[in-house]
Short mmCIF file of all heavy atoms in Angstrom, two decimals:
data_model
loop_
_atom_site.label_atom_id
_atom_site.label_comp_id
_atom_site.label_asym_id
_atom_site.label_seq_id
_atom_site.Cartn_x
_atom_site.Cartn_y
_atom_site.Cartn_z
N LEU A 1368 33.47 -24.59 8.60
CA LEU A 1368 34.09 -23.33 8.20
C LEU A 1368 33.63 -22.17 9.08
O LEU A 1368 34.43 -21.30 9.46
CB LEU A 1368 33.77 -23.02 6.73
CG LEU A 1368 34.47 -23.87 5.67
CD1 LEU A 1368 33.92 -23.54 4.28
CD2 LEU A 1368 35.98 -23.64 5.71
N THR A 1369 32.35 -22.16 9.40
CA THR A 1369 31.82 -21.10 10.27
C THR A 1369 32.46 -21.16 11.65
O THR A 1369 32.89 -20.13 12.19
CB THR A 1369 30.29 -21.25 10.39
OG1 THR A 1369 29.70 -21.14 9.09
CG2 THR A 1369 29.71 -20.18 11.29
N ALA A 1370 32.53 -22.35 12.22
CA ALA A 1370 33.16 -22.51 13.54
C ALA A 1370 34.62 -22.08 13.50
O ALA A 1370 35.12 -21.41 14.42
CB ALA A 1370 33.03 -23.95 14.00
N ALA A 1371 35.34 -22.47 12.44
CA ALA A 1371 36.76 -22.12 12.33
C ALA A 1371 36.95 -20.61 12.22
O ALA A 1371 37.87 -20.03 12.81
CB ALA A 1371 37.37 -22.82 11.13
N ALA A 1372 36.07 -19.95 11.46
CA ALA A 1372 36.17 -18.49 11.31
C ALA A 1372 35.94 -17.79 12.64
O ALA A 1372 36.68 -16.86 13.01
CB ALA A 1372 35.16 -18.01 10.27
N ILE A 1373 34.94 -18.23 13.38
CA ILE A 1373 34.65 -17.60 14.67
C ILE A 1373 35.80 -17.82 15.65
O ILE A 1373 36.20 -16.91 16.39
CB ILE A 1373 33.33 -18.16 15.24
CG1 ILE A 1373 32.15 -17.78 14.32
CG2 ILE A 1373 33.08 -17.62 16.65
CD1 ILE A 1373 30.84 -18.44 14.71
N ALA A 1374 36.36 -19.04 15.65
CA ALA A 1374 37.46 -19.34 16.56
C ALA A 1374 38.74 -18.60 16.17
O ALA A 1374 39.57 -18.28 17.03
CB ALA A 1374 37.72 -20.85 16.58
N THR A 1375 38.92 -18.31 14.87
CA THR A 1375 40.14 -17.64 14.40
C THR A 1375 40.11 -16.15 14.70
O THR A 1375 41.17 -15.53 14.93
CB THR A 1375 40.32 -17.86 12.89
OG1 THR A 1375 40.42 -19.26 12.63
CG2 THR A 1375 41.55 -17.15 12.36
N ALA A 1376 38.94 -15.54 14.69
CA ALA A 1376 38.82 -14.09 14.82
C ALA A 1376 39.57 -13.53 16.04
O ALA A 1376 40.32 -12.55 15.92
CB ALA A 1376 37.35 -13.67 14.85
N PRO A 1377 39.44 -14.11 17.25
CA PRO A 1377 40.13 -13.50 18.39
C PRO A 1377 41.65 -13.68 18.38
O PRO A 1377 42.33 -13.18 19.28
CB PRO A 1377 39.50 -14.22 19.60
CG PRO A 1377 39.01 -15.52 19.06
CD PRO A 1377 38.56 -15.21 17.66
N SER A 1378 42.18 -14.36 17.37
CA SER A 1378 43.63 -14.47 17.29
C SER A 1378 44.29 -13.11 17.10
O SER A 1378 45.47 -12.93 17.45
CB SER A 1378 44.04 -15.41 16.15
OG SER A 1378 43.69 -14.85 14.88
N VAL A 1379 43.56 -12.13 16.56
CA VAL A 1379 44.14 -10.79 16.37
C VAL A 1379 44.30 -10.06 17.69
O VAL A 1379 44.85 -8.95 17.71
CB VAL A 1379 43.29 -9.95 15.38
CG1 VAL A 1379 43.24 -10.61 14.02
CG2 VAL A 1379 41.90 -9.70 15.93
N LEU A 1380 43.83 -10.64 18.78
CA LEU A 1380 44.13 -10.06 20.09
C LEU A 1380 45.62 -10.17 20.39
O LEU A 1380 46.13 -9.45 21.26
CB LEU A 1380 43.31 -10.77 21.17
CG LEU A 1380 41.79 -10.58 21.09
CD1 LEU A 1380 41.08 -11.52 22.05
CD2 LEU A 1380 41.41 -9.13 21.39
N ILE A 1381 46.32 -11.06 19.69
CA ILE A 1381 47.77 -11.17 19.79
C ILE A 1381 48.39 -10.19 18.78
O ILE A 1381 48.09 -10.25 17.59
CB ILE A 1381 48.23 -12.61 19.48
CG1 ILE A 1381 47.54 -13.60 20.44
CG2 ILE A 1381 49.74 -12.73 19.58
CD1 ILE A 1381 47.76 -15.04 20.08
N ASP A 1382 49.20 -9.29 19.24
CA ASP A 1382 49.70 -8.20 18.40
C ASP A 1382 50.47 -8.70 17.18
O ASP A 1382 50.49 -8.04 16.13
CB ASP A 1382 50.60 -7.27 19.22
CG ASP A 1382 49.80 -6.45 20.22
OD1 ASP A 1382 48.57 -6.30 20.01
OD2 ASP A 1382 50.40 -5.98 21.21
N SER A 1383 51.11 -9.85 17.28
CA SER A 1383 51.91 -10.35 16.16
C SER A 1383 51.06 -10.94 15.03
O SER A 1383 51.58 -11.20 13.95
CB SER A 1383 52.90 -11.40 16.66
OG SER A 1383 52.21 -12.50 17.26
N VAL A 1384 49.78 -11.14 15.27
CA VAL A 1384 48.90 -11.69 14.24
C VAL A 1384 48.40 -10.55 13.37
O VAL A 1384 47.87 -9.55 13.87
CB VAL A 1384 47.70 -12.43 14.87
CG1 VAL A 1384 46.73 -12.90 13.79
CG2 VAL A 1384 48.20 -13.62 15.69
N PRO A 1385 48.55 -10.63 12.03
CA PRO A 1385 48.11 -9.53 11.16
C PRO A 1385 46.61 -9.28 11.27
O PRO A 1385 45.82 -10.22 11.42
CB PRO A 1385 48.46 -10.03 9.75
CG PRO A 1385 49.49 -11.09 9.97
CD PRO A 1385 49.18 -11.72 11.29
N VAL A 1386 46.21 -8.02 11.19
CA VAL A 1386 44.80 -7.65 11.32
C VAL A 1386 43.98 -8.25 10.19
O VAL A 1386 42.81 -8.63 10.39
CB VAL A 1386 44.67 -6.11 11.33
CG1 VAL A 1386 43.21 -5.70 11.27
CG2 VAL A 1386 45.32 -5.54 12.58
#
Side-chain angles (χ1 to χ4, degrees):
L1368 287 174
T1369 300
I1373 296 173
T1375 300
S1378 67
V1379 299
L1380 294 169
I1381 303 171
D1382 289 338
S1383 59
V1384 175
V1386 172

